[in-house]
Amino acid sequence: LSSCTSAAEKEMGGAEQWEKQHRAHRGFGDRHGGVISARTYFYASEAKCDQHMETFLGCIDASGDSSQDGFLAIKLTALGRPQFLLQLSEVLVKWRRFFHQMAAEQGQAGRAVLEMKLEVKKLQEALANIATKAESQHCFTGEELGMTGTVDLLDWNSLIDSSTKLSKLLVIPNVQTGHPEPLLSRFTEEEDLQMKRMLQRMAVLAKRAAEKGVRLMVDAEQSYFQPAISHLTLETQRRFNRDHAIIFNTHQCYLKEAYDNVTVDIELSRREGWHFGTKLVRGAYMEQERKRAAEIGYEDPINPTYEKTNKMYHRCLDYILEEIKHGQKVSVMVASHNEETVKFTLRRMMELGIHPSEKKVSFGQLLGMCDQVTFPLGQAGFPVYKYVPYGPVNKVLPYLSRRALENRSFVQRAKRERELLWRELKRRLLTGSLFSRSP
């Protein structure tokens, strides 16, 4: 009994941390400050969001007309008011927090996230203050959740989906006070409409991408937006990834919860029968994330060292590759300039018998960076892509300079690339094969 109580208290402490992380804070309204390697969008109007959508549609058309199996990266904060993503993230975090609190009370604290299973009878007892017995029985029995007598996190999450009207979201009991509380204050009708428009814009882009044979990658953003972004991306994957992976999520491996996020999303795709697709990255908001955590007072969501981030990246990637080996409907883009990560991927693909022609694993690097890795991969038959940023000079140059700062060993790699090119040039001159293809 004492261990269960302490576990529940620990979960409650974590809950407070989660709420602080996903609450709006005026001092962090400028999401550009401290961002190293990502474009930041600010909401101006619904017309501006429509303009962004039209720009993305043009990019989809250009990619589909110029290449096969192309990729396009988009950001949801370009398609609607970011405040809504923050509020929806708050809903999702509170809902997931409630699941963890119930799991802790049932003695399951510390288990892997997919191993936590709530007993339905105890769950119904916990909901007695906010729902009738008939209502709670209806929620947690039947075709939606099966008849196993338990509810896991995926079952739990299924109770909130895109069909839920935001102004009528569920209420949950406050563990500290024992009184019911709403997940979120009511949205106005206009706010409901604006959220609906964001979803509609995303659906328009997904449909055009499917028509043009282009894969659509939804970029990850700050951790306090990410629950909503991932949730809406999963909803789009459910709809469009039935035959193959068209919509790709993005998982940031500098987050401490990255492995849980990857495994939960893959398990969801397996249960529902659609194709999982993700772009695996290290992350782009480290400085901003850490500053916000320190000033507001919640646990830093970022792994403490670069080495731990590398370990997390390889752990997530290895899990995905194992899923591919076992015939699951899984695709991944290894978006990395790290040569050791690329070598790790190639070695594991060879060990697991994953052939490049399957096109389940692709690689991506920024145009003009890491060419000494990109070109040999392409020559060896691996699907490899160059990320091409474009736009006005005053927008693109700062972005590229931030990317150079992010890749702290960029200068050393550029030097090594020049050395390799010079060595190859001398080899061709000495062998008289200056204009022939290298072996």
Side-chain angles (χ1 to χ4, degrees):
L1 179 62
S2 61
S3 62
C4 288
T5 303
S6 64
E9 289 173 352
K10 182 178 180 182
E11 287 293 331
M12 287 168 59
E16 293 172 1
Q17 298 279 321
W18 281 352
E19 286 195 30
K20 286 183 179 180
Q21 183 176 351
H22 293 88
R23 191 177 298 143
H25 290 270
R26 186 176 301 277
F28 289 87
D30 180 5
R31 294 179 293 108
H32 183 275
V35 176
I36 296 296
S37 59
R39 170 71 187 272
T40 300
Y41 288 92
F42 293 92
Y43 181 84
S45 64
E46 291 298 296
K48 189 65 175 178
C49 293
D50 287 334
Q51 183 181 331
H52 289 152
M53 182 186 71
E54 292 298 328
T55 299
F56 290 151
L57 287 171
C59 292
I60 292 171
D61 292 341
S63 179
D65 293 340
S66 62
S67 62
Q68 292 183 342
D69 299 323
F71 277 100
L72 176 72
I74 66 168
K75 285 195 170 185
L76 282 194
T77 50
L79 300 176
R81 191 187 292 274
Q83 178 68 14
F84 294 151
L85 295 174
L86 195 66
Q87 290 174 291
L88 180 55
S89 290
E90 181 184 346
V91 168
L92 297 170
V93 166
K94 282 185 175 181
W95 191 237
R96 184 164 176 169
R97 179 201 72 181
F98 185 35
F99 175 88
H100 281 273
Q101 288 172 343
M102 295 300 100
E105 290 182 2
Q106 294 187 18
Q108 300 185 50
R111 289 188 184 182
V113 65
L114 286 176
E115 294 178 1
M116 293 181 178
K117 297 182 185 296
L118 305 182
E119 295 182 28
V120 171
K121 289 184 178 180
K122 292 183 179 180
L123 187 57
Q124 290 171 343
E125 293 174 2
L127 296 174
N129 291 332
I130 60 172
T132 66
K133 183 177 181 180
E135 288 172 337
S136 62
Q137 286 179 340
H138 175 73
C139 285
F140 298 106
T141 58
E143 294 181 2
E144 295 84 359
L145 301 181
M147 303 294 291
T148 63
T150 60
V151 173
D152 67 10
L153 182 61
L154 293 179
D155 297 328
W156 184 251
N157 287 342
S158 70
L159 298 175
I160 293 184
D161 57 32
S162 60
S163 64
T164 304
K165 187 174 174 61
L166 290 176
S167 61
K168 297 181 179 179
L169 284 167
L170 302 174
V171 294
I172 59 174
N174 185 306
V175 175
Q176 293 171 303
T177 66
H179 299 298
E181 64 177 16
L183 284 178
L184 189 68
S185 300
R186 286 178 176 270
F187 276 11
T188 65
E189 287 299 318
E190 175 59 25
E191 288 170 334
D192 273 327
L193 286 173
Q194 288 180 351
M195 176 60 83
K196 185 177 180 180
R197 293 187 196 112
M198 177 188 287
L199 293 170
Q200 289 173 337
R201 293 181 187 112
M202 192 173 179
V204 168
L205 295 175
K207 184 178 180 181
R208 179 71 65 85
E211 292 170 351
K212 290 289 186 176
V214 174
R215 273 81 57 83
L216 205 61
M217 296 186 297
V218 180
D219 274 346
E221 303 194 43
Q222 288 91 342
S223 64
Y224 38 95
F225 290 122
Q226 198 54 42
I229 291 171
S230 291
H231 180 80
L232 298 178
T233 302
L234 286 171
E235 290 294 325
T236 311
Q237 288 178 314
R238 280 183 169 123
R239 178 179 175 186
F240 290 93
N241 284 12
R242 288 296 169 184
D243 297 324
H244 54 277
I246 293 174
I247 309 301
F248 277 57
N249 207 341
T250 300
H251 288 89
Q252 301 181 100
C253 294
Y254 69 177
L255 294 176
K256 296 174 182 176
E257 61 180 18
Y259 183 77
D260 283 347
N261 293 338
V262 168
T263 55
V264 167
D265 289 354
I266 288 180
E267 176 61 21
L268 178 64
S269 69
R270 182 190 293 114
R271 290 188 188 182
E272 298 182 347
W274 46 269
H275 289 254
F276 171 89
T278 189
K279 177 178 66 171
L280 213 58
V281 301
R282 279 173 170 77
Y285 304 95
M286 182 171 68
E287 181 181 340
Q288 190 182 68
E289 292 275 13
R290 285 182 168 161
K291 181 180 179 182
R292 188 178 189 271
E295 293 193 15
I296 295 176
Y298 58 87
E299 181 184 347
D300 183 356
I302 307 298
N303 287 314
T305 65
Y306 185 73
E307 289 70 26
K308 286 189 177 295
T309 292
N310 283 342
K311 185 176 180 180
M312 177 66 78
Y313 193 108
H314 291 177
R315 185 186 183 197
C316 293
L317 178 57
D318 197 53
Y319 182 88
I320 292 171
L321 295 176
E322 287 280 356
E323 291 291 300
I324 294 173
K325 175 195 174 183
H326 291 103
Q328 300 300 327
K329 301 174 181 178
V330 174
S331 299
V332 61
M333 169 175 275
V334 182
S336 176
H337 295 134
N338 187 297
E339 292 184 32
E340 291 304 314
T341 291
V342 173
K343 291 177 182 177
F344 172 85
T345 308
L346 298 178
R347 183 177 71 253
R348 290 298 289 143
M349 288 179 69
M350 183 178 297
E351 292 170 353
L352 297 171
I354 302 172
H355 196 272
S357 62
E358 297 178 37
K359 296 186 178 180
K360 294 286 189 177
V361 181
S362 56
F363 297 85
Q365 288 97 34
L366 186 66
L367 181 66
M369 294 180 65
C370 216
D371 288 346
Q372 78 278 9
V373 172
T374 307
F375 293 142
L377 285 172
Q379 290 171 345
F382 290 90
V384 59
Y385 296 83
K386 299 301 278 189
Y387 191 101
V388 185
Y390 80 98
V393 173
N394 65 329
K395 298 289 186 182
V396 175
L397 284 181
Y399 167 84
L400 292 174
S401 67
R402 293 195 301 270
R403 290 309 302 255
L405 287 173
E406 175 212 9
N407 290 271
R408 300 181 189 278
S409 59
F410 172 71
V411 175
Q412 290 86 343
R413 287 204 300 272
K415 181 180 179 182
R416 183 179 175 216
E417 186 173 352
R418 287 196 300 270
E419 290 173 350
L420 291 172
L421 290 170
W422 180 242
R423 186 187 307 168
E424 177 64 12
L425 178 60
K426 289 193 292 184
R427 187 193 68 78
R428 293 192 182 194
L429 286 171
L430 291 173
T431 59
S433 56
L434 180 60
F435 298 106
S436 64
R437 294 181 63 183
S438 59

